[in-house]
Amino acid sequence: PLVLALAALAASWLASRRGRGMPAGVWAGLAAACDHRAALAGLVIVMTPRSDPRTHARRGIAQALLGAVASYGLVVVPVILLDVSAFLDRLRQTAAPGPGLGLFNLIAYRGAEGSAFALGLAAASPLLACGAAVTLSRLTAPPAAVASLASLAVVALAPTISPEVVGMPIVLGALAAGEADDTSGASS
């Protein structure tokens, strides 16, 4: 499932680079529908200002967000309607900190994964990841680089996560390197 989300993020990045807000949003929404861990990276790609203000007008952001919500809804709402109570139960579930890649792995190494601090941090980690993404979106860097850093923050703050998720910041970082090469070649 991560490959589908990464492909959709790459398509969102390409559309965003070309100044096409609606397609960029549609691809970002599909990436989030395939894997919710891609949601912040998709939003950062869509909302990070470009160097050329004409390609990132407020109207383009609004279109991108509308496209993201619509495509996400078209994929997820039918699944929700299959069993609404099971979906709501799944939303209420919280994952206990366990094996992962970031901060919670260090907490587990110290044997404190069941502590009140770890459980509170696990509950607050989505908000912390959103805060990190908002803070990072203010950087004057290529959108793919900012999205890579935001997805890395999600990986570092996730209470439990599969090692395959490291592919997301790596692929986004590679896209950012390609974008930096394109801009340096154009300015020389």
Side-chain angles (χ1 to χ4, degrees), residues 81-125:
L81 293 176
L82 289 174
D83 192 353
V84 176
S85 62
F87 179 79
L88 294 174
D89 287 342
R90 180 71 174 121
L91 281 180
R92 285 188 285 257
Q93 286 179 356
T94 57
L101 299 170
L103 180 61
F104 289 97
N105 209 32
L106 296 174
I107 292 171
Y109 178 75
R110 300 292 297 166
E113 65 271 9
S115 69
F117 171 75
L119 295 175
L121 190 58
S125 67

PDB file of all heavy atoms in Angstrom, residues 81-125:
ATOM      1  N   LEU A  81     -19.108   3.658   4.691  1.00  0.00           N
ATOM      2  CA  LEU A  81     -20.512   3.270   4.620  1.00  0.00           C
ATOM      3  C   LEU A  81     -20.727   1.755   4.719  1.00  0.00           C
ATOM      4  O   LEU A  81     -21.827   1.316   5.034  1.00  0.00           O
ATOM      5  CB  LEU A  81     -21.142   3.810   3.342  1.00  0.00           C
ATOM      6  CG  LEU A  81     -21.249   5.333   3.280  1.00  0.00           C
ATOM      7  CD1 LEU A  81     -21.806   5.773   1.942  1.00  0.00           C
ATOM      8  CD2 LEU A  81     -22.063   5.881   4.430  1.00  0.00           C
ATOM      9  N   LEU A  82     -19.683   0.970   4.464  1.00  0.00           N
ATOM     10  CA  LEU A  82     -19.811  -0.480   4.612  1.00  0.00           C
ATOM     11  C   LEU A  82     -20.118  -0.868   6.051  1.00  0.00           C
ATOM     12  O   LEU A  82     -20.914  -1.766   6.303  1.00  0.00           O
ATOM     13  CB  LEU A  82     -18.542  -1.175   4.140  1.00  0.00           C
ATOM     14  CG  LEU A  82     -18.298  -1.171   2.640  1.00  0.00           C
ATOM     15  CD1 LEU A  82     -16.933  -1.761   2.334  1.00  0.00           C
ATOM     16  CD2 LEU A  82     -19.387  -1.934   1.917  1.00  0.00           C
ATOM     17  N   ASP A  83     -19.464  -0.192   7.014  1.00  0.00           N
ATOM     18  CA  ASP A  83     -19.698  -0.462   8.432  1.00  0.00           C
ATOM     19  C   ASP A  83     -19.284   0.768   9.239  1.00  0.00           C
ATOM     20  O   ASP A  83     -18.129   0.886   9.659  1.00  0.00           O
ATOM     21  CB  ASP A  83     -18.917  -1.694   8.870  1.00  0.00           C
ATOM     22  CG  ASP A  83     -19.339  -2.191  10.246  1.00  0.00           C
ATOM     23  OD1 ASP A  83     -20.139  -1.506  10.915  1.00  0.00           O
ATOM     24  OD2 ASP A  83     -18.870  -3.272  10.637  1.00  0.00           O
ATOM     25  N   VAL A  84     -20.224   1.663   9.458  1.00  0.00           N
ATOM     26  CA  VAL A  84     -19.945   2.935  10.130  1.00  0.00           C
ATOM     27  C   VAL A  84     -19.475   2.697  11.561  1.00  0.00           C
ATOM     28  O   VAL A  84     -18.517   3.329  12.021  1.00  0.00           O
ATOM     29  CB  VAL A  84     -21.185   3.853  10.098  1.00  0.00           C
ATOM     30  CG1 VAL A  84     -20.939   5.128  10.878  1.00  0.00           C
ATOM     31  CG2 VAL A  84     -21.571   4.162   8.668  1.00  0.00           C
ATOM     32  N   SER A  85     -20.100   1.780  12.278  1.00  0.00           N
ATOM     33  CA  SER A  85     -19.713   1.558  13.675  1.00  0.00           C
ATOM     34  C   SER A  85     -18.287   1.010  13.779  1.00  0.00           C
ATOM     35  O   SER A  85     -17.535   1.392  14.671  1.00  0.00           O
ATOM     36  CB  SER A  85     -20.700   0.629  14.377  1.00  0.00           C
ATOM     37  OG  SER A  85     -20.701  -0.646  13.759  1.00  0.00           O
ATOM     38  N   ALA A  86     -17.896   0.124  12.865  1.00  0.00           N
ATOM     39  CA  ALA A  86     -16.529  -0.395  12.889  1.00  0.00           C
ATOM     40  C   ALA A  86     -15.538   0.715  12.575  1.00  0.00           C
ATOM     41  O   ALA A  86     -14.458   0.783  13.186  1.00  0.00           O
ATOM     42  CB  ALA A  86     -16.373  -1.532  11.879  1.00  0.00           C
ATOM     43  N   PHE A  87     -15.887   1.616  11.647  1.00  0.00           N
ATOM     44  CA  PHE A  87     -15.013   2.737  11.327  1.00  0.00           C
ATOM     45  C   PHE A  87     -14.840   3.645  12.539  1.00  0.00           C
ATOM     46  O   PHE A  87     -13.721   4.054  12.871  1.00  0.00           O
ATOM     47  CB  PHE A  87     -15.582   3.524  10.145  1.00  0.00           C
ATOM     48  CG  PHE A  87     -14.750   4.711   9.770  1.00  0.00           C
ATOM     49  CD1 PHE A  87     -13.592   4.549   9.028  1.00  0.00           C
ATOM     50  CD2 PHE A  87     -15.117   5.986  10.159  1.00  0.00           C
ATOM     51  CE1 PHE A  87     -12.818   5.639   8.688  1.00  0.00           C
ATOM     52  CE2 PHE A  87     -14.350   7.078   9.825  1.00  0.00           C
ATOM     53  CZ  PHE A  87     -13.196   6.909   9.083  1.00  0.00           C
ATOM     54  N   LEU A  88     -15.934   3.961  13.221  1.00  0.00           N
ATOM     55  CA  LEU A  88     -15.851   4.824  14.402  1.00  0.00           C
ATOM     56  C   LEU A  88     -15.074   4.149  15.536  1.00  0.00           C
ATOM     57  O   LEU A  88     -14.315   4.819  16.244  1.00  0.00           O
ATOM     58  CB  LEU A  88     -17.247   5.232  14.868  1.00  0.00           C
ATOM     59  CG  LEU A  88     -18.017   6.128  13.896  1.00  0.00           C
ATOM     60  CD1 LEU A  88     -19.441   6.355  14.392  1.00  0.00           C
ATOM     61  CD2 LEU A  88     -17.289   7.442  13.678  1.00  0.00           C
ATOM     62  N   ASP A  89     -15.240   2.836  15.689  1.00  0.00           N
ATOM     63  CA  ASP A  89     -14.459   2.108  16.693  1.00  0.00           C
ATOM     64  C   ASP A  89     -12.969   2.179  16.377  1.00  0.00           C
ATOM     65  O   ASP A  89     -12.138   2.346  17.266  1.00  0.00           O
ATOM     66  CB  ASP A  89     -14.897   0.642  16.778  1.00  0.00           C
ATOM     67  CG  ASP A  89     -16.241   0.471  17.449  1.00  0.00           C
ATOM     68  OD1 ASP A  89     -16.688   1.409  18.144  1.00  0.00           O
ATOM     69  OD2 ASP A  89     -16.858  -0.604  17.258  1.00  0.00           O
ATOM     70  N   ARG A  90     -12.642   2.068  15.111  1.00  0.00           N
ATOM     71  CA  ARG A  90     -11.233   2.126  14.696  1.00  0.00           C
ATOM     72  C   ARG A  90     -10.655   3.512  14.943  1.00  0.00           C
ATOM     73  O   ARG A  90      -9.494   3.655  15.317  1.00  0.00           O
ATOM     74  CB  ARG A  90     -11.124   1.753  13.212  1.00  0.00           C
ATOM     75  CG  ARG A  90      -9.725   1.792  12.690  1.00  0.00           C
ATOM     76  CD  ARG A  90      -8.905   0.653  13.262  1.00  0.00           C
ATOM     77  NE  ARG A  90      -7.602   0.660  12.623  1.00  0.00           N
ATOM     78  CZ  ARG A  90      -6.465   0.780  13.284  1.00  0.00           C
ATOM     79  NH1 ARG A  90      -6.463   0.863  14.587  1.00  0.00           N
ATOM     80  NH2 ARG A  90      -5.330   0.801  12.649  1.00  0.00           N
ATOM     81  N   LEU A  91     -11.456   4.553  14.758  1.00  0.00           N
ATOM     82  CA  LEU A  91     -10.992   5.911  15.030  1.00  0.00           C
ATOM     83  C   LEU A  91     -10.690   6.124  16.517  1.00  0.00           C
ATOM     84  O   LEU A  91      -9.787   6.857  16.872  1.00  0.00           O
ATOM     85  CB  LEU A  91     -12.027   6.948  14.582  1.00  0.00           C
ATOM     86  CG  LEU A  91     -12.077   7.267  13.109  1.00  0.00           C
ATOM     87  CD1 LEU A  91     -13.157   8.305  12.842  1.00  0.00           C
ATOM     88  CD2 LEU A  91     -10.751   7.767  12.600  1.00  0.00           C
ATOM     89  N   ARG A  92     -11.467   5.466  17.363  1.00  0.00           N
ATOM     90  CA  ARG A  92     -11.278   5.641  18.807  1.00  0.00           C
ATOM     91  C   ARG A  92     -10.107   4.842  19.350  1.00  0.00           C
ATOM     92  O   ARG A  92      -9.631   5.122  20.448  1.00  0.00           O
ATOM     93  CB  ARG A  92     -12.555   5.251  19.553  1.00  0.00           C
ATOM     94  CG  ARG A  92     -13.657   6.275  19.434  1.00  0.00           C
ATOM     95  CD  ARG A  92     -14.804   5.921  20.352  1.00  0.00           C
ATOM     96  NE  ARG A  92     -15.563   4.803  19.803  1.00  0.00           N
ATOM     97  CZ  ARG A  92     -16.725   4.926  19.191  1.00  0.00           C
ATOM     98  NH1 ARG A  92     -17.257   6.105  19.038  1.00  0.00           N
ATOM     99  NH2 ARG A  92     -17.351   3.880  18.721  1.00  0.00           N
ATOM    100  N   GLN A  93      -9.639   3.857  18.618  1.00  0.00           N
ATOM    101  CA  GLN A  93      -8.530   3.038  19.089  1.00  0.00           C
ATOM    102  C   GLN A  93      -7.241   3.848  19.090  1.00  0.00           C
ATOM    103  O   GLN A  93      -6.985   4.626  18.181  1.00  0.00           O
ATOM    104  CB  GLN A  93      -8.329   1.820  18.191  1.00  0.00           C
ATOM    105  CG  GLN A  93      -9.360   0.762  18.352  1.00  0.00           C
ATOM    106  CD  GLN A  93      -9.095  -0.399  17.410  1.00  0.00           C
ATOM    107  OE1 GLN A  93      -8.182  -0.373  16.594  1.00  0.00           O
ATOM    108  NE2 GLN A  93      -9.907  -1.442  17.528  1.00  0.00           N
ATOM    109  N   THR A  94      -6.471   3.642  20.134  1.00  0.00           N
ATOM    110  CA  THR A  94      -5.146   4.247  20.173  1.00  0.00           C
ATOM    111  C   THR A  94      -4.126   3.120  20.247  1.00  0.00           C
ATOM    112  O   THR A  94      -4.336   2.117  20.918  1.00  0.00           O
ATOM    113  CB  THR A  94      -4.976   5.177  21.397  1.00  0.00           C
ATOM    114  OG1 THR A  94      -5.234   4.421  22.578  1.00  0.00           O
ATOM    115  CG2 THR A  94      -5.931   6.353  21.315  1.00  0.00           C
ATOM    116  N   ALA A  95      -3.050   3.303  19.553  1.00  0.00           N
ATOM    117  CA  ALA A  95      -2.000   2.289  19.544  1.00  0.00           C
ATOM    118  C   ALA A  95      -1.066   2.526  20.726  1.00  0.00           C
ATOM    119  O   ALA A  95      -0.635   3.648  20.969  1.00  0.00           O
ATOM    120  CB  ALA A  95      -1.213   2.358  18.247  1.00  0.00           C
ATOM    121  N   ALA A  96      -0.804   1.470  21.461  1.00  0.00           N
ATOM    122  CA  ALA A  96       0.162   1.567  22.548  1.00  0.00           C
ATOM    123  C   ALA A  96       1.555   1.688  21.943  1.00  0.00           C
ATOM    124  O   ALA A  96       1.845   1.080  20.912  1.00  0.00           O
ATOM    125  CB  ALA A  96       0.078   0.336  23.439  1.00  0.00           C
ATOM    126  N   PRO A  97       2.401   2.488  22.542  1.00  0.00           N
ATOM    127  CA  PRO A  97       3.768   2.609  22.008  1.00  0.00           C
ATOM    128  C   PRO A  97       4.450   1.255  21.963  1.00  0.00           C
ATOM    129  O   PRO A  97       4.297   0.426  22.849  1.00  0.00           O
ATOM    130  CB  PRO A  97       4.456   3.532  23.006  1.00  0.00           C
ATOM    131  CG  PRO A  97       3.356   4.268  23.685  1.00  0.00           C
ATOM    132  CD  PRO A  97       2.186   3.339  23.701  1.00  0.00           C
ATOM    133  N   GLY A  98       5.162   1.028  20.900  1.00  0.00           N
ATOM    134  CA  GLY A  98       5.853  -0.239  20.730  1.00  0.00           C
ATOM    135  C   GLY A  98       6.997  -0.084  19.757  1.00  0.00           C
ATOM    136  O   GLY A  98       7.535   1.001  19.586  1.00  0.00           O
ATOM    137  N   PRO A  99       7.347  -1.176  19.080  1.00  0.00           N
ATOM    138  CA  PRO A  99       8.481  -1.118  18.155  1.00  0.00           C
ATOM    139  C   PRO A  99       8.225  -0.108  17.041  1.00  0.00           C
ATOM    140  O   PRO A  99       7.145  -0.036  16.493  1.00  0.00           O
ATOM    141  CB  PRO A  99       8.557  -2.525  17.584  1.00  0.00           C
ATOM    142  CG  PRO A  99       7.666  -3.360  18.399  1.00  0.00           C
ATOM    143  CD  PRO A  99       6.738  -2.477  19.148  1.00  0.00           C
ATOM    144  N   GLY A 100       9.218   0.648  16.770  1.00  0.00           N
ATOM    145  CA  GLY A 100       9.093   1.666  15.737  1.00  0.00           C
ATOM    146  C   GLY A 100      10.469   2.124  15.300  1.00  0.00           C
ATOM    147  O   GLY A 100      11.439   1.390  15.377  1.00  0.00           O
ATOM    148  N   LEU A 101      10.545   3.378  14.884  1.00  0.00           N
ATOM    149  CA  LEU A 101      11.793   3.896  14.359  1.00  0.00           C
ATOM    150  C   LEU A 101      12.252   5.168  15.054  1.00  0.00           C
ATOM    151  O   LEU A 101      13.390   5.562  14.890  1.00  0.00           O
ATOM    152  CB  LEU A 101      11.640   4.190  12.860  1.00  0.00           C
ATOM    153  CG  LEU A 101      11.310   2.995  12.005  1.00  0.00           C
ATOM    154  CD1 LEU A 101      10.941   3.433  10.606  1.00  0.00           C
ATOM    155  CD2 LEU A 101      12.472   2.043  11.961  1.00  0.00           C
ATOM    156  N   GLY A 102      11.408   5.817  15.757  1.00  0.00           N
ATOM    157  CA  GLY A 102      11.741   7.130  16.277  1.00  0.00           C
ATOM    158  C   GLY A 102      11.801   7.194  17.786  1.00  0.00           C
ATOM    159  O   GLY A 102      12.378   6.340  18.463  1.00  0.00           O
ATOM    160  N   LEU A 103      11.160   8.206  18.288  1.00  0.00           N
ATOM    161  CA  LEU A 103      11.187   8.518  19.707  1.00  0.00           C
ATOM    162  C   LEU A 103      10.660   7.378  20.564  1.00  0.00           C
ATOM    163  O   LEU A 103      11.229   7.065  21.610  1.00  0.00           O
ATOM    164  CB  LEU A 103      10.365   9.798  19.953  1.00  0.00           C
ATOM    165  CG  LEU A 103      10.273  10.292  21.378  1.00  0.00           C
ATOM    166  CD1 LEU A 103      11.658  10.625  21.915  1.00  0.00           C
ATOM    167  CD2 LEU A 103       9.383  11.505  21.447  1.00  0.00           C
ATOM    168  N   PHE A 104       9.595   6.734  20.124  1.00  0.00           N
ATOM    169  CA  PHE A 104       9.005   5.673  20.946  1.00  0.00           C
ATOM    170  C   PHE A 104       9.873   4.424  20.998  1.00  0.00           C
ATOM    171  O   PHE A 104       9.793   3.660  21.950  1.00  0.00           O
ATOM    172  CB  PHE A 104       7.588   5.354  20.466  1.00  0.00           C
ATOM    173  CG  PHE A 104       6.641   6.458  20.788  1.00  0.00           C
ATOM    174  CD1 PHE A 104       6.314   7.404  19.848  1.00  0.00           C
ATOM    175  CD2 PHE A 104       6.122   6.584  22.064  1.00  0.00           C
ATOM    176  CE1 PHE A 104       5.458   8.440  20.154  1.00  0.00           C
ATOM    177  CE2 PHE A 104       5.270   7.618  22.386  1.00  0.00           C
ATOM    178  CZ  PHE A 104       4.941   8.548  21.427  1.00  0.00           C
ATOM    179  N   ASN A 105      10.697   4.222  20.007  1.00  0.00           N
ATOM    180  CA  ASN A 105      11.643   3.113  20.069  1.00  0.00           C
ATOM    181  C   ASN A 105      12.666   3.365  21.178  1.00  0.00           C
ATOM    182  O   ASN A 105      13.067   2.446  21.886  1.00  0.00           O
ATOM    183  CB  ASN A 105      12.331   2.920  18.722  1.00  0.00           C
ATOM    184  CG  ASN A 105      12.744   1.495  18.486  1.00  0.00           C
ATOM    185  OD1 ASN A 105      12.081   0.573  18.950  1.00  0.00           O
ATOM    186  ND2 ASN A 105      13.821   1.305  17.769  1.00  0.00           N
ATOM    187  N   LEU A 106      13.078   4.618  21.324  1.00  0.00           N
ATOM    188  CA  LEU A 106      13.994   4.958  22.421  1.00  0.00           C
ATOM    189  C   LEU A 106      13.322   4.786  23.775  1.00  0.00           C
ATOM    190  O   LEU A 106      13.937   4.307  24.734  1.00  0.00           O
ATOM    191  CB  LEU A 106      14.488   6.396  22.267  1.00  0.00           C
ATOM    192  CG  LEU A 106      15.337   6.681  21.033  1.00  0.00           C
ATOM    193  CD1 LEU A 106      15.639   8.167  20.933  1.00  0.00           C
ATOM    194  CD2 LEU A 106      16.609   5.872  21.068  1.00  0.00           C
ATOM    195  N   ILE A 107      12.051   5.167  23.850  1.00  0.00           N
ATOM    196  CA  ILE A 107      11.303   4.996  25.100  1.00  0.00           C
ATOM    197  C   ILE A 107      11.160   3.510  25.421  1.00  0.00           C
ATOM    198  O   ILE A 107      11.315   3.091  26.566  1.00  0.00           O
ATOM    199  CB  ILE A 107       9.940   5.701  25.004  1.00  0.00           C
ATOM    200  CG1 ILE A 107      10.127   7.219  24.938  1.00  0.00           C
ATOM    201  CG2 ILE A 107       9.045   5.337  26.176  1.00  0.00           C
ATOM    202  CD1 ILE A 107       8.872   8.004  24.634  1.00  0.00           C
ATOM    203  N   ALA A 108      10.864   2.700  24.397  1.00  0.00           N
ATOM    204  CA  ALA A 108      10.739   1.253  24.603  1.00  0.00           C
ATOM    205  C   ALA A 108      12.080   0.642  25.014  1.00  0.00           C
ATOM    206  O   ALA A 108      12.132  -0.285  25.825  1.00  0.00           O
ATOM    207  CB  ALA A 108      10.212   0.580  23.336  1.00  0.00           C
ATOM    208  N   TYR A 109      13.164   1.144  24.478  1.00  0.00           N
ATOM    209  CA  TYR A 109      14.492   0.653  24.835  1.00  0.00           C
ATOM    210  C   TYR A 109      14.758   0.861  26.319  1.00  0.00           C
ATOM    211  O   TYR A 109      15.403   0.041  26.969  1.00  0.00           O
ATOM    212  CB  TYR A 109      15.551   1.380  23.994  1.00  0.00           C
ATOM    213  CG  TYR A 109      16.961   0.978  24.331  1.00  0.00           C
ATOM    214  CD1 TYR A 109      17.464  -0.250  23.924  1.00  0.00           C
ATOM    215  CD2 TYR A 109      17.783   1.822  25.058  1.00  0.00           C
ATOM    216  CE1 TYR A 109      18.753  -0.628  24.233  1.00  0.00           C
ATOM    217  CE2 TYR A 109      19.078   1.456  25.377  1.00  0.00           C
ATOM    218  CZ  TYR A 109      19.562   0.237  24.961  1.00  0.00           C
ATOM    219  OH  TYR A 109      20.833  -0.129  25.272  1.00  0.00           O
ATOM    220  N   ARG A 110      14.263   1.956  26.859  1.00  0.00           N
ATOM    221  CA  ARG A 110      14.428   2.239  28.290  1.00  0.00           C
ATOM    222  C   ARG A 110      13.399   1.485  29.136  1.00  0.00           C
ATOM    223  O   ARG A 110      13.414   1.584  30.351  1.00  0.00           O
ATOM    224  CB  ARG A 110      14.290   3.740  28.557  1.00  0.00           C
ATOM    225  CG  ARG A 110      15.297   4.606  27.826  1.00  0.00           C
ATOM    226  CD  ARG A 110      16.694   4.434  28.295  1.00  0.00           C
ATOM    227  NE  ARG A 110      16.790   4.842  29.688  1.00  0.00           N
ATOM    228  CZ  ARG A 110      17.800   4.568  30.470  1.00  0.00           C
ATOM    229  NH1 ARG A 110      18.813   3.905  30.001  1.00  0.00           N
ATOM    230  NH2 ARG A 110      17.816   4.958  31.714  1.00  0.00           N
ATOM    231  N   GLY A 111      12.476   0.766  28.504  1.00  0.00           N
ATOM    232  CA  GLY A 111      11.475  -0.004  29.231  1.00  0.00           C
ATOM    233  C   GLY A 111      10.319   0.824  29.750  1.00  0.00           C
ATOM    234  O   GLY A 111       9.588   0.405  30.638  1.00  0.00           O
ATOM    235  N   ALA A 112      10.112   2.013  29.193  1.00  0.00           N
ATOM    236  CA  ALA A 112       9.081   2.914  29.689  1.00  0.00           C
ATOM    237  C   ALA A 112       7.914   3.073  28.718  1.00  0.00           C
ATOM    238  O   ALA A 112       7.177   4.055  28.792  1.00  0.00           O
ATOM    239  CB  ALA A 112       9.704   4.277  29.984  1.00  0.00           C
ATOM    240  N   GLU A 113       7.715   2.099  27.823  1.00  0.00           N
ATOM    241  CA  GLU A 113       6.652   2.253  26.832  1.00  0.00           C
ATOM    242  C   GLU A 113       5.252   2.237  27.439  1.00  0.00           C
ATOM    243  O   GLU A 113       4.311   2.708  26.816  1.00  0.00           O
ATOM    244  CB  GLU A 113       6.753   1.184  25.730  1.00  0.00           C
ATOM    245  CG  GLU A 113       6.528  -0.222  26.193  1.00  0.00           C
ATOM    246  CD  GLU A 113       7.805  -0.906  26.656  1.00  0.00           C
ATOM    247  OE1 GLU A 113       8.855  -0.270  26.778  1.00  0.00           O
ATOM    248  OE2 GLU A 113       7.730  -2.114  26.913  1.00  0.00           O
ATOM    249  N   GLY A 114       5.100   1.722  28.628  1.00  0.00           N
ATOM    250  CA  GLY A 114       3.795   1.708  29.290  1.00  0.00           C
ATOM    251  C   GLY A 114       3.607   2.843  30.276  1.00  0.00           C
ATOM    252  O   GLY A 114       2.575   2.922  30.948  1.00  0.00           O
ATOM    253  N   SER A 115       4.567   3.743  30.386  1.00  0.00           N
ATOM    254  CA  SER A 115       4.478   4.844  31.347  1.00  0.00           C
ATOM    255  C   SER A 115       3.428   5.864  30.917  1.00  0.00           C
ATOM    256  O   SER A 115       3.035   5.937  29.757  1.00  0.00           O
ATOM    257  CB  SER A 115       5.842   5.533  31.485  1.00  0.00           C
ATOM    258  OG  SER A 115       6.162   6.224  30.294  1.00  0.00           O
ATOM    259  N   ALA A 116       2.983   6.653  31.874  1.00  0.00           N
ATOM    260  CA  ALA A 116       2.005   7.695  31.590  1.00  0.00           C
ATOM    261  C   ALA A 116       2.557   8.706  30.596  1.00  0.00           C
ATOM    262  O   ALA A 116       1.838   9.197  29.721  1.00  0.00           O
ATOM    263  CB  ALA A 116       1.596   8.390  32.887  1.00  0.00           C
ATOM    264  N   PHE A 117       3.843   9.009  30.709  1.00  0.00           N
ATOM    265  CA  PHE A 117       4.471   9.937  29.773  1.00  0.00           C
ATOM    266  C   PHE A 117       4.397   9.403  28.345  1.00  0.00           C
ATOM    267  O   PHE A 117       4.033  10.124  27.408  1.00  0.00           O
ATOM    268  CB  PHE A 117       5.935  10.187  30.163  1.00  0.00           C
ATOM    269  CG  PHE A 117       6.703  10.952  29.135  1.00  0.00           C
ATOM    270  CD1 PHE A 117       6.508  12.321  28.983  1.00  0.00           C
ATOM    271  CD2 PHE A 117       7.609  10.307  28.300  1.00  0.00           C
ATOM    272  CE1 PHE A 117       7.209  13.029  28.012  1.00  0.00           C
ATOM    273  CE2 PHE A 117       8.312  11.008  27.335  1.00  0.00           C
ATOM    274  CZ  PHE A 117       8.116  12.370  27.193  1.00  0.00           C
ATOM    275  N   ALA A 118       4.746   8.126  28.156  1.00  0.00           N
ATOM    276  CA  ALA A 118       4.740   7.533  26.820  1.00  0.00           C
ATOM    277  C   ALA A 118       3.327   7.475  26.246  1.00  0.00           C
ATOM    278  O   ALA A 118       3.118   7.772  25.062  1.00  0.00           O
ATOM    279  CB  ALA A 118       5.354   6.141  26.850  1.00  0.00           C
ATOM    280  N   LEU A 119       2.358   7.115  27.063  1.00  0.00           N
ATOM    281  CA  LEU A 119       0.975   7.046  26.586  1.00  0.00           C
ATOM    282  C   LEU A 119       0.443   8.434  26.244  1.00  0.00           C
ATOM    283  O   LEU A 119      -0.264   8.615  25.249  1.00  0.00           O
ATOM    284  CB  LEU A 119       0.090   6.361  27.621  1.00  0.00           C
ATOM    285  CG  LEU A 119       0.424   4.879  27.879  1.00  0.00           C
ATOM    286  CD1 LEU A 119      -0.430   4.331  29.004  1.00  0.00           C
ATOM    287  CD2 LEU A 119       0.256   4.060  26.617  1.00  0.00           C
ATOM    288  N   GLY A 120       0.782   9.433  27.046  1.00  0.00           N
ATOM    289  CA  GLY A 120       0.373  10.806  26.756  1.00  0.00           C
ATOM    290  C   GLY A 120       1.031  11.329  25.491  1.00  0.00           C
ATOM    291  O   GLY A 120       0.396  12.006  24.671  1.00  0.00           O
ATOM    292  N   LEU A 121       2.315  11.005  25.325  1.00  0.00           N
ATOM    293  CA  LEU A 121       3.030  11.422  24.122  1.00  0.00           C
ATOM    294  C   LEU A 121       2.460  10.730  22.892  1.00  0.00           C
ATOM    295  O   LEU A 121       2.353  11.344  21.820  1.00  0.00           O
ATOM    296  CB  LEU A 121       4.522  11.124  24.274  1.00  0.00           C
ATOM    297  CG  LEU A 121       5.449  11.696  23.223  1.00  0.00           C
ATOM    298  CD1 LEU A 121       5.332  13.217  23.159  1.00  0.00           C
ATOM    299  CD2 LEU A 121       6.885  11.301  23.523  1.00  0.00           C
ATOM    300  N   ALA A 122       2.069   9.471  23.030  1.00  0.00           N
ATOM    301  CA  ALA A 122       1.456   8.748  21.910  1.00  0.00           C
ATOM    302  C   ALA A 122       0.130   9.392  21.520  1.00  0.00           C
ATOM    303  O   ALA A 122      -0.184   9.511  20.329  1.00  0.00           O
ATOM    304  CB  ALA A 122       1.249   7.282  22.266  1.00  0.00           C
ATOM    305  N   ALA A 123      -0.637   9.821  22.497  1.00  0.00           N
ATOM    306  CA  ALA A 123      -1.912  10.483  22.201  1.00  0.00           C
ATOM    307  C   ALA A 123      -1.693  11.843  21.541  1.00  0.00           C
ATOM    308  O   ALA A 123      -2.471  12.263  20.681  1.00  0.00           O
ATOM    309  CB  ALA A 123      -2.725  10.639  23.478  1.00  0.00           C
ATOM    310  N   ALA A 124      -0.632  12.530  21.919  1.00  0.00           N
ATOM    311  CA  ALA A 124      -0.360  13.864  21.380  1.00  0.00           C
ATOM    312  C   ALA A 124       0.464  13.841  20.101  1.00  0.00           C
ATOM    313  O   ALA A 124       0.615  14.881  19.451  1.00  0.00           O
ATOM    314  CB  ALA A 124       0.364  14.696  22.436  1.00  0.00           C
ATOM    315  N   SER A 125       0.991  12.692  19.706  1.00  0.00           N
ATOM    316  CA  SER A 125       1.892  12.648  18.552  1.00  0.00           C
ATOM    317  C   SER A 125       1.250  13.130  17.247  1.00  0.00           C
ATOM    318  O   SER A 125       1.939  13.793  16.464  1.00  0.00           O
ATOM    319  CB  SER A 125       2.512  11.268  18.396  1.00  0.00           C
ATOM    320  OG  SER A 125       1.563  10.309  18.063  1.00  0.00           O
TER     321      SER A 125
END
